[in-house]
Each structure stands twice: as structure tokens, then as C-alpha cells.
Amino acid sequence: MFCEVRAVSRRVAEAGVISALCFVLSYIEFLLPISFGLPGIKLGLANICIVYALLRRGTGMAAFVSAVRVLLSWLMFGSFMSFIYSAAGAALSLAVMSLMKRSRHFSAVGISSAGGFMHNTAQVAAAITLTGTPSVWRYLPPLWLAGTLFGALNGLLAGEIIRRSVRPHEDERRTENDKTGT
Amino acid sequence: MSGSIIKKGDIAVISAGILLSALLFAASIIPTKSGSAVEISLGGEAVEVLPLDEDRTFEVGGALTVVIKNGEASVSGAVCRGKLCEKHRPISRAGEVIVCAPGGVVIRVLGEGPDFVL
């Protein structure tokens, strides 16, 4: 009983911490935008937190953190249009990343890279739908390239953070350590 | 646990992303004929069609001003934060677009030519 309460508290606390960090990363990108000349191209640093949440704690945690980030960004500094783009991107990206995690053929780098690609795909799809202008597809090639490359970089960071933050008593390491007797 | 070790699948994902970008980019630069006019739409509805052979400016919904000059259309006076639409190079060929994402404004060159529909 006591252990269950501890586990729930731990999960709640962790969800709060990761969501807060995620929002801070979004805020930093808002304050210091690195412009590449097209709407939608950005580093996407917040995805580091989403990938971390997904790989360490599963789809539920990642979906929660992602939803908090999208809502907070909208309330704090977004227009309704940017909220739609960001929600569409976050949903498709998370769905694909979650499936890729299950397949076990990809590490954080590939998962995050596909996430960036899908995020931008959904944004352009949303833009085409909202504006009713199919020609907006012309924005896709640079957005795909940026999503793929920045996604991979963020995945590299997320993977490294996960590798360094897994403590011996957690996750799969536990069984390894039990075997070696440490 | 997926750590930082790069797997084969990762290489495949990144390669596919770059390849798709390159292919679609190639498709997007297939030269099209010069357009004759631009259509300006706000939130999905066309609000104005301006001929390209006549220099003038047009304000859209208080969000930005479309400038037609020397047969090309560009944007100035955007009220959004990033002002990315102002940095877009002037457009004049059929199917080219400038998008103001926050304002929901799209400026599209009308005219014949291969205009792919996704």
C-alpha cells in the first residue's frame, strides 16, 4: 500500500518536473528564435523532453507532457492558428514515435528524427486545410529536411540524457546488476 | 532501453527524411510559367485578386500589406512576431506561395502550369 502511494506520488512529481522543463525549453525558443526564413523551422528543443518521457516512462507520460506543453505555449505566447499547427504536429509526431519505440529497431536518434519530420508534415497539412491552399506543399521540402536533422540532434541529446540519468536501481539495469551481484 | 547507440533503423529514418526532402524539393523547382495575378486569401477564403502587371499595395485584414512591384509580389508591414513572410523572396511564377502562418494569410500566384496538389 505504502509502496503504491509512493509510486503514484513519484509519477505525479516526475510528470510535473518534465512538463515544466519542456515548457522552459519552448519558452527559451520563443525568447531566442533562431530563424531560418520559413515559418515552422525551429530547433524543437522541447522534443528532447517528449522523447525522454516516451522512452523512460512510456506513451502516457509523453502524451501528458506534450499536451501540457502545447496548451501552455498557446496560453502564454501563441495565437489560435499557431495552437492548431502545434497540436497537429505534436499529435502525429507522438503517435509515430510511440509506434517506433514499440518496434525496437530505433534508438532515440531515429525516433526523434521521425518525430521532427512528422511534426512538420502535420503542420503543413494543417496549414493546407486551414488556408484551403494546396500550394502550401511547397513549404514541405525545407521543413522536412529541418525536422529530420534537428530531430536527430535532439534525439542524440535525449539518448545521452537517458543513458546518463538511469541510476542502477532503476529500469532494466536492475536485472543486469542483480546478475552481476552489485 | 533505447540509449544513444545509433541503430540501423535510425540511419534509415534520417536517410529517408533527407531523400524525401530532396525529391519534393526537385519537384517544387520545376519551372512554371510566369503568373498573371496573385490571389490573396484570409482564413481559407479568397479576398482579392491583384494583377501582377500593375504596381500597387493591398492591406489584408490588418495583418500585413501585399506589395506588387515589377511583376512580383512580396509582403511588407506584417504585424506578426517573426515577420518571416516579409523575408520571403518575391513571387511571380504560377503556384508560388507566401504564407503568413499566424495571420492565416496566403498569397498565391495564379496561372497555368504544373501545380501539384498533395
Side-chain angles (χ1 to χ4, degrees), chain A residues 24-161:
Chain A
V24 165
L25 289 176
S26 292
Y27 188 49
I28 289 173
E29 272 203 78
F30 172 76
L31 288 176
L32 306 167
I34 299 175
S35 172
F36 295 91
L38 277 182
I41 298 190
K42 53 181 200 163
L43 298 179
L45 293 177
N47 202 37
I48 297 172
C49 291
I50 311 288
V51 171
Y52 176 90
L54 176 69
L55 296 184
R56 284 297 300 279
R57 294 290 176 255
T59 306
M61 176 73 89
F64 175 81
V65 173
S66 191
V68 168
R69 185 192 78 78
V70 169
L71 284 174
L72 279 181
S73 299
W74 174 33
L75 294 176
M76 293 294 289
F77 37 71
S79 68
F80 183 68
M81 293 290 267
S82 65
F83 165 70
I84 298 287
Y85 296 136
S86 140
L92 182 66
S93 150
L94 186 61
V96 169
M97 291 199 297
S98 176
L99 288 175
M100 287 174 74
K101 183 202 170 190
R102 284 185 198 181
S103 88
R104 299 189 175 276
H105 291 295
F106 309 97
S107 78
V109 176
I111 292 176
S112 174
S113 179
F117 182 93
M118 288 300 164
H119 188 96
N120 288 348
T121 307
Q123 283 190 316
V124 171
I128 289 176
T129 312
L130 286 179
T131 61
T133 312
S135 305
V136 176
W137 72 268
R138 284 163 186 276
Y139 276 58
L140 258 182
L143 280 172
W144 271 353
L145 188 65
T148 303
L149 296 182
F150 294 147
L153 281 178
N154 290 333
L156 211 56
L157 285 171
E160 202 59 20
I161 291 167

Side-chain angles (χ1 to χ4, degrees), chain B residues 5-118:
Chain B
I5 303 143
I6 293 178
K7 299 184 180 177
K8 275 184 192 166
D10 301 336
I11 306 293
V13 166
I14 297 171
S15 311
I18 295 173
L19 192 67
L20 282 171
S21 317
L23 285 176
L24 201 62
F25 179 71
S28 74
I29 56 169
I30 289 174
T32 51
K33 291 175 193 163
S34 283
S36 51
V38 287
E39 179 194 77
I40 298 156
S41 55
L42 178 61
E45 283 174 41
V47 289
E48 184 73 49
V49 174
L50 301 175
L52 276 171
D53 53 12
E54 183 186 326
D55 288 4
R56 65 170 290 192
T57 60
F58 181 78
E59 202 195 316
V60 191
L64 52 83
T65 305
V66 179
V67 179
I68 313 278
K69 201 176 176 188
N70 304 326
E72 294 180 322
S74 58
V75 172
S76 73
V79 295
C80 56
R81 220 182 98 86
K83 298 193 190 302
L84 291 174
C85 46
E86 286 185 19
K87 291 176 192 151
H88 200 288
R89 70 187 152 69
I91 55 172
S92 61
R93 299 193 163 270
E96 283 187 318
V97 280
I98 298 179
V99 179
C100 165
V105 179
V106 177
I107 301 126
R108 180 169 70 98
V109 182
L110 302 172
E112 291 169 26
D115 186 11
F116 298 89
V117 176
L118 273 188

